[in-house]
Amino acid sequence: MKNIFLSLLFAVSVYTQAAQMDYRQIEPLRMSLPESNVQLTLDGMSMTQGDMMTEPAVNMMTPEPKMDFDFFKQKTNPGLKPYRFLDDVTFVGVPLFVAGIIIKSEKVKFRQNYEDEFHPNTRLITNFKSSIDNYTQYFGPAAVVGLKLAGLEGRSDWPRLLTSTAISYGIMAALVNTIKYTAKEMRPDGTSRNSWPSGHTATSFVGATLLHKEYGLTRSPWFSVAGYSIATATGVMRILNNRHWISDVLSGAGIGIMSTELGYFLSDIIFKGKGLLRNDRPMSTSSHSFFGISMGASIGTHDFEFTRDDLAYEIDRLDFSEGHNMKVSFSTATAVDAEGAYFFNQYVGVGGRLRVRAMTAKKWNDFAEQTRKDNISLGTELMNIYYISNPNMTQEEREQKQQVVNDVLMGNNGNPRMVQEEKITIESDHLTEFSANVGVYFNIPLSERFHLGSKLLIGRSMTQELDVDASFSGNVKDLGYTMTITDGRISNLDVNRLRSTDQNYSVTWDYLTLGGNNSTSFGTGLSLTYRYKSNFSWRAFVDYDYARKTFTLKYDPYRYMKIAAPNAESLFVGLGSDMEPYEFKKKKNLHYFTIGGSFIIDF
């Protein structure tokens, strides 16, 4: 109840603000005057008798609003044009749904397999936790109901509005649940197989489209901005909460918009011209300043390979050689933008863009497999050193040493294992770039509805690192040995003590991280804009962005050994190595072409 009350209170406040902005949309009442050249001046606007006779009879001189509780009483204002299906449909839901299917195919490269017996503890887990998305999904209908109760007329009266709403949510629920339990897509957190598409996102976009149709198209475009912004935020939070993949959210948004447009289409067939209260705002093509929300796919830099030459300091690891380079590959990046510009005339303006670009890493389980190799590397290294430093050992002696290693380190013959439990937690499976740019915007009118645009931008780019954590626990081992080092070469290694202890350990650390520094970024692009309604446009764009960054990769597979076998560290040092992490640094030029679409509010 508290959340519903707050939503209603917000809706009433929005209405009060919108009513103040709406006075210039007041239209004259239809009236009959004697034959004379009478001129009426209203709020700075001059109209002749002939003008008033040809203007619509509604959206003009609206009476003082009052609370509206006539849920079952049908009202129809005179002079409204009947709505037709194609007048109100944008079809934007279709490409959103298809984009979700396309991006869904990219997700398999993550290879998240919760039934994998070799990696049962590998999980994708983020630190973001919020339950607000459980409530923001209902913002749209709460705002519409609040505004309606407050007396602000929208497109429809109560019976028509409730019918359109019920049909829209019914279609959405049927589509979402049918697809969910047919596709059986595993959620990122592994809790259930009903991830695709996102029901929360579909619900929020049904509400946003309700608000857009009832008040955005008829009253003020800022109602649409509020609805779609909160719906987009709901979808983003579902991803951050580790409940959905981005493909789930895109398809959910498409279903939400398509369901509402179909719901209004069926409602128009049922009610025809009855129950309509307001027309759309009059078409205007004179303004070029805009605010827009965009989504697209970025094609460009996808692979990061670090070699021995990129090591930040000299290191001599026994297992670091040709073919052991560290390589991280990414799938196609997803970009989400908020962009706006103020135009001094129809050709030139200034503005800015905020962009978030996320690239999902492929095959994280490959790193989990490497971890399995790392956690037995002490035993392997010991045996290798035995063979190298004691070439005259008999086969029987080698087998005896191998048996001791297996018994103590691997947990044979009643010994506790050195590594009893290993968990690989993928805190972040993507490299995210945040950029803020400002610059000059250009516009070339091609017709009243079509415009060609471009821009030149400069700004800053910041990177959020991807992160894999490891958590190991087990039994501490006591290691004692003697060896001879001559000219940096080991000989006569003898491990005279290798045994289990009564101590256990548990350690959690950053197993692998990859991030980049902040840098200057440059951007440009071309766009084609189509204005389909007053104050509303759709835009297709191709952007190019460039930045040069220094990326740092830290790979630390041996951290647990410092605790699990503390005496082993000096052995590694004696071998000319150590247990410190690999650290690589590499400068890289980033080139991205982003192809996408925008929902534009013109003002």
Side-chain angles (χ1 to χ4, degrees):
M1 290 300 296
K2 178 181 177 183
N3 292 295
I4 295 176
F5 173 75
L6 291 175
S7 298
L8 293 177
L9 183 62
F10 175 79
V12 172
S13 66
V14 170
Y15 156 64
T16 305
Q17 184 67 25
Q20 295 175 1
M21 298 187 296
D22 205 41
Y23 73 96
R24 292 192 180 275
Q25 303 301 323
I26 298 176
E27 303 175 6
L29 292 171
R30 186 179 296 278
M31 60 185 69
S32 178
L33 296 176
E35 288 292 335
S36 61
N37 189 21
V38 177
Q39 189 177 45
L40 173 65
T41 301
L42 176 64
D43 195 24
M45 298 182 289
S46 180
M47 291 186 178
T48 64
Q49 175 186 350
D51 292 331
M52 289 186 290
M53 294 298 290
T54 58
E55 289 291 322
V58 288
N59 301 356
M60 315 275 286
M61 294 187 68
T62 307
E64 187 70 23
K66 59 181 180 180
M67 301 292 284
D68 184 0
F69 296 98
D70 294 329
F71 301 110
F72 305 103
K73 182 179 179 181
Q74 193 161 54
K75 305 173 186 177
T76 304
N77 285 335
L80 289 175
K81 69 178 182 67
Y83 275 78
R84 297 189 303 273
F85 178 49
L86 294 179
D87 274 358
D88 237 4
V89 175
T90 65
F91 298 103
V92 68
V94 176
L96 279 174
F97 180 76
V98 173
I101 296 177
I102 295 172
I103 296 177
K104 180 174 176 289
S105 65
E106 287 284 335
K107 179 176 60 61
V108 298
K109 296 175 181 176
F110 184 86
R111 288 199 331 184
Q112 193 77 1
N113 185 355
Y114 293 93
E115 286 78 34
D116 186 349
E117 61 177 325
F118 294 107
H119 312 112
N121 296 316
T122 303
R123 292 292 186 268
L124 169 63
I125 300 176
T126 62
N127 291 323
F128 182 91
K129 296 295 179 185
S130 174
S131 61
I132 192 173
D133 49 350
N134 292 326
Y135 307 102
T136 54
Q137 63 177 320
Y138 301 116
F139 168 79
V144 171
V145 170
L147 293 167
K148 191 74 173 168
L149 290 175
L152 183 66
E153 285 186 343
R155 176 185 188 262
S156 313
D157 66 356
W158 276 114
R160 188 168 186 143
L161 170 62
L162 294 175
T163 301
S164 300
T165 302
I167 295 175
S168 300
Y169 278 107
I171 294 172
M172 179 274 296
L175 289 174
V176 167
N177 286 287
T178 299
I179 298 173
K180 269 181 178 291
Y181 295 102
T182 301
K184 296 182 179 180
E185 190 72 27
M186 178 68 78
R187 292 182 182 271
D189 60 6
T191 56
S192 59
R193 288 190 174 276
N194 60 345
S195 185
W196 180 71
S198 168
H200 279 66
T201 307
T203 300
S204 64
F205 271 88
V206 168
T209 309
L210 287 173
L211 186 59
H212 168 65
K213 286 183 174 292
E214 290 293 329
Y215 292 100
L217 290 174
T218 64
R219 289 284 184 175
S220 169
W222 295 108
F223 287 115
S224 301
V225 172
Y228 283 118
S229 295
I230 292 178
T232 301
T234 301
V236 171
M237 283 187 286
R238 297 304 288 168
I239 297 172
L240 294 177
N241 274 325
N242 198 31
R243 295 291 290 163
H244 282 290
W245 310 96
I246 189 171
S247 57
D248 307 339
V249 169
L250 286 176
S251 293
I255 289 175
I257 295 173
M258 287 189 296
S259 299
T260 311
E261 293 186 336
L262 186 56
Y264 269 75
F265 166 58
L266 296 175
S267 182
D268 288 344
I269 293 177
I270 295 171
F271 288 91
K272 296 182 172 60
K274 297 179 181 179
L276 293 173
L277 303 180
R278 291 181 69 88
N279 275 331
D280 289 353
R281 291 161 54 87
M283 184 71 178
S284 171
T285 59
S286 60
S287 61
H288 300 287
S289 300
F290 72 90
F291 169 80
I293 300 172
S294 309
M295 180 171 287
S298 289
I299 303 170
T301 306
H302 291 294
D303 296 326
F304 294 77
E305 184 170 9
F306 298 87
T307 68
R308 178 184 289 273
D309 294 336
D310 300 317
L311 283 168
Y313 51 87
E314 284 296 325
I315 191 169
D316 183 20
R317 288 284 165 80
L318 297 178
D319 62 343
F320 193 89
S321 59
E322 193 74 23
H324 286 77
N325 296 342
M326 298 296 297
K327 184 175 182 179
V328 184
S329 300
F330 296 88
S331 58
T332 301
T334 301
V336 179
D337 305 343
E339 189 171 20
Y342 173 79
F343 275 78
F344 304 108
N345 51 51
Q346 63 176 333
Y347 300 109
V348 181
V350 294
R353 182 193 69 193
L354 298 175
R355 169 166 287 175
V356 180
R357 180 187 291 109
M359 301 186 298
T360 303
K362 302 176 185 178
K363 300 184 179 180
W364 274 122
N365 278 5
D366 287 353
F367 292 102
E369 179 62 30
Q370 183 61 43
T371 303
R372 290 177 53 81
K373 297 176 181 178
D374 292 336
N375 69 30
I376 62 172
S377 61
L378 177 59
T380 302
E381 293 295 343
L382 281 176
M383 293 310 303
N384 288 338
I385 296 168
Y386 271 132
Y387 299 153
I388 295 173
S389 63
N390 300 285
N392 298 321
M393 288 179 62
T394 66
Q395 183 63 30
E396 182 179 358
E397 290 174 328
R398 292 188 180 189
E399 291 177 355
Q400 290 176 350
K401 295 291 186 182
Q402 184 72 65
Q403 185 64 45
V404 172
V405 170
N406 290 341
D407 287 348
V408 177
L409 298 183
M410 305 310 296
N412 296 332
N413 292 331
N415 284 282
R417 290 174 61 92
M418 185 174 74
V419 179
Q420 296 174 357
E421 184 176 7
E422 60 178 84
K423 291 182 180 180
I424 304 299
T425 303
I426 303 168
E427 296 285 348
S428 171
D429 70 324
H430 51 270
L431 194 67
T432 303
E433 180 189 7
F434 302 89
S435 60
N437 299 76
V438 296
V440 183
Y441 284 73
F442 306 97
N443 178 70
I444 301 176
L446 302 178
S447 68
E448 285 190 349
R449 291 180 178 267
F450 286 94
H451 298 262
L452 190 65
S454 185
K455 57 197 171 190
L456 294 173
L457 304 178
I458 186 173
R460 294 290 288 175
S461 168
M462 297 144 281
T463 303
Q464 182 185 50
E465 66 183 14
L466 56 84
D467 180 20
V468 179
D469 288 352
S471 180
F472 282 19
S473 61
N475 181 252
V476 177
K477 304 302 179 181
D478 181 24
L479 173 68
Y481 55 89
T482 60
M483 62 182 177
T484 302
I485 302 177
T486 306
D487 297 329
R489 298 179 63 86
I490 298 176
S491 61
N492 301 320
L493 172 67
D494 180 34
V495 176
N496 50 44
R497 187 176 70 254
L498 180 58
R499 62 189 180 186
S500 302
T501 70
D502 57 358
Q503 297 179 354
N504 294 321
Y505 73 93
S506 178
V507 59
T508 299
W509 76 98
D510 290 334
Y511 177 76
L512 184 145
T513 60
L514 173 63
N517 67 324
N518 298 342
S519 64
T520 302
S521 63
F522 304 90
T524 185
L526 290 174
S527 64
L528 180 64
T529 302
Y530 170 68
R531 180 168 295 184
Y532 80 100
K533 292 279 188 180
S534 178
N535 299 111
F536 295 98
S537 300
W538 288 108
R539 174 175 295 170
F541 67 88
V542 178
D543 285 353
Y544 168 75
D545 294 290
Y546 168 81
R548 180 173 174 81
K549 289 180 176 291
T550 299
F551 287 91
T552 301
L553 183 145
K554 291 184 179 180
Y555 178 49
D556 187 6
Y558 298 108
R559 179 76 61 87
Y560 75 98
M561 284 192 189
K562 294 184 177 183
I563 301 175
N567 295 341
E569 185 170 10
S570 57
L571 173 61
F572 275 75
V573 172
L575 296 173
S577 182
D578 53 46
M579 293 183 181
E580 296 303 313
Y582 300 108
E583 182 173 331
F584 304 86
K585 289 185 178 293
K586 191 182 192 74
K587 290 186 177 181
K588 196 171 184 66
N589 294 320
L590 303 179
H591 305 272
Y592 292 107
F593 288 92
T594 303
I595 304 172
S598 307
F599 177 69
I600 300 295
I601 306 294
D602 303 287
F603 59 90

